[in-house]
Amino acid sequence: MSQKIVIIGGGYVGAELAKALDDTAQVTLIEPRSHFVHAPAMIRAVVDPSLLDRALIPYDGLLKNGRILASKATGIDAKGVTLDDGAKIDADQIVVATGSGNAMPFKPQGADIAGLRADNQRIHQQLKAARSIGIVGAGAVGTELAGEIAFAMPDKKVTLISSDTALFPTMPSKLGTSLAVKLRKAGVTLILGQRAKDLKSMTEPYTGSLVLADGTQHDFDLIFPVIGSRANSELLETLLGVEKSTANRIKVDPWMRPSSLPNVFAAGDVADAGDGMTIVATSRQLPWLKAALSGLAQGKTVEELKPYKPWGNKAPILVPLGPKQGNSFLGFFTAGDFLTSKMKGQDLFLKKYNKLLGRKG
């Protein structure tokens, strides 16, 4: 009898893992949203809403044998998962991949895909009307957004504000320095080493002024707060032995287990396994999870499996500034426009994820 595997969350880990196990296990994917939200393309969709139809991909073509339940998981125990309507789903193994939240219109509030489309349209119109744009937070989303606006709408006055004194300070310095040069050349003003003190919203763009730590005031027609993602970890917080780290993430043991339950694993943004909150991190976690779940199906114990080895500080990162420019750190060297554009900037992995979900993209 094949194993019953319940995967909670249909993001980058959940969708790909469900697909990979579909032929060998009884897979149940629990995901309240009707569509997969492809986050990198949602950044460009702010300046080009025509991308939305390829960035929001229906789940109905993902699995051939397994089932997808459009529900919210509200509880976990050793035997399975409880849903918000009280139904109980039996499981031999449970993988929690509930991801993270970010400001709109990059990710939906809850499961509301129609609302996300409406937010995208509204914010796109605000962006078109705005002359001056402030972006607060210069992680991947903030930096890419600045690059997308500068490329598609060169008449806008874009200011990127970060409390860090350099872009991508934890990466080799060439990455941040090269990106800063290209942004400035494209007309973007960088204000680094200054914290914005009075953000009126952390979750959606608004019109107003910002006071920075040095006391200066800056007025903008549109301010995008992009202060980084926070993990959706509520489901795991109630389990015995769970500990949080930063950004709401949950600590895991060497076998990616977040609690004292031996058959519950956590992966992706919600799990602090030593990886950053990036799609690249999942490319290392997925093969390990597939091998681990397959080993357990053959009767091995978790402790007999090889522990998970995170990327650590060698994780690649791809930062396009629109379709033609950008820089990437690829583990051993920093790549420029050509490779960044080829690997991510032109297509933003849209073809890959449309194919994964059974739709020609």
Side-chain angles (χ1 to χ4, degrees):
M1 190 61 190
S2 62
Q3 286 228 312
K4 290 180 181 156
I5 296 176
V6 173
I7 299 166
I8 303 169
Y12 292 98
V13 170
E16 209 163 324
L17 185 62
K19 180 98 164 185
L21 300 171
D22 195 28
D23 290 336
T24 54
Q26 291 182 56
V27 175
T28 301
L29 177 64
I30 299 168
E31 170 52 66
R33 293 174 187 164
S34 58
H35 290 61
F36 178 91
V37 178
H38 182 42
M42 295 305 294
I43 301 169
R44 185 169 297 166
V46 175
V47 301
D48 179 7
S50 73
L51 273 185
L52 269 195
D53 286 336
R54 290 174 67 221
L56 300 174
I57 314 166
Y59 279 109
D60 52 14
L62 178 68
L63 302 180
K64 288 190 167 63
N65 307 309
R67 58 181 178 159
I68 300 170
L69 300 180
S71 283
K72 195 173 162 62
T74 54
I76 296 172
D77 59 40
K79 289 181 180 168
V81 178
T82 306
L83 303 181
D84 49 6
D85 64 358
K88 189 84 196 275
I89 311 298
D90 293 338
D92 298 311
Q93 312 296 340
I94 299 165
V95 179
V96 179
T98 40
S100 60
N102 208 319
M104 68 161 78
F106 310 114
K107 289 192 177 178
Q109 310 300 303
D112 187 3
I113 296 294
L116 180 62
R117 285 181 186 276
D119 290 337
N120 171 273
Q121 285 299 334
R122 178 172 53 82
I123 291 161
H124 173 68
Q125 292 305 326
Q126 289 176 318
L127 176 61
K128 276 200 335 193
R131 279 188 308 224
S132 60
I133 292 122
I135 299 169
V136 182
V141 177
T143 302
E144 286 184 36
L145 181 64
E148 294 290 354
I149 297 170
F151 174 82
M153 302 174 165
D155 56 322
K156 307 291 183 198
K157 194 176 176 326
V158 180
T159 304
L160 182 61
I161 300 161
S162 175
S163 55
D164 293 321
T165 52
L167 296 179
F168 298 94
T170 61
M171 305 301 289
S173 61
K174 191 180 173 191
L175 178 72
T177 309
S178 305
L179 287 165
V181 166
K182 285 173 189 176
L183 285 167
R184 288 189 177 112
K185 217 171 173 177
V188 175
T189 303
L190 297 185
I191 300 179
L192 303 176
Q194 288 291 337
R195 188 175 293 282
K197 289 166 65 171
D198 58 346
L199 277 173
K200 290 188 181 61
S201 170
M202 300 289 262
T203 54
E204 63 179 296
Y206 63 94
T207 300
S209 60
L210 290 171
V211 175
L212 303 184
D214 63 1
T216 57
Q217 183 174 316
H218 302 258
D219 300 318
F220 296 104
D221 296 331
L222 194 59
I223 296 166
F224 283 91
V226 199
I227 320 284
S229 306
R230 290 185 71 72
N232 301 321
S233 55
E234 300 75 19
L235 184 64
L236 289 170
E237 284 167 19
T238 55
L239 298 183
L240 207 61
V242 160
E243 284 179 57
K244 273 190 183 179
S245 70
T246 53
N248 246 12
R249 303 178 89 189
I250 302 291
K251 291 181 184 176
V252 291
D253 74 3
W255 294 277
M256 294 183 77
R257 295 178 299 181
S259 70
S260 54
L261 293 174
N263 63 332
V264 175
F265 301 86
D269 285 358
V270 77
D272 190 352
D275 294 313
M277 294 167 84
T278 65
I279 301 173
V280 168
T282 68
S283 67
R284 202 175 182 98
Q285 293 181 13
L286 277 160
W288 185 88
L289 282 163
K290 289 177 209 168
L293 292 165
S294 148
L296 294 170
Q298 289 156 21
K300 289 184 181 171
T301 64
V302 171
E303 286 72 17
E304 288 175 272
L305 305 170
K306 258 194 197 159
Y308 173 68
K309 273 184 107 136
W311 279 106
N313 58 5
K314 282 276 184 279
I317 183 169
L318 307 162
V319 189
L321 303 172
K324 294 179 178 174
Q325 281 197 313
N327 285 92
S328 300
F329 174 66
L330 299 175
F332 303 103
F333 69 102
T334 300
D337 296 337
F338 178 76
L339 275 178
T340 303
S341 170
K342 206 102 190 108
M343 291 173 76
K344 183 179 177 186
Q346 284 172 9
D347 174 64
L348 300 172
F349 310 126
L350 279 161
K351 201 170 269 143
K352 174 186 170 173
Y353 286 99
N354 274 273
K355 189 180 170 193
L356 177 80
L357 282 112
R359 188 168 82 168
K360 287 188 172 70

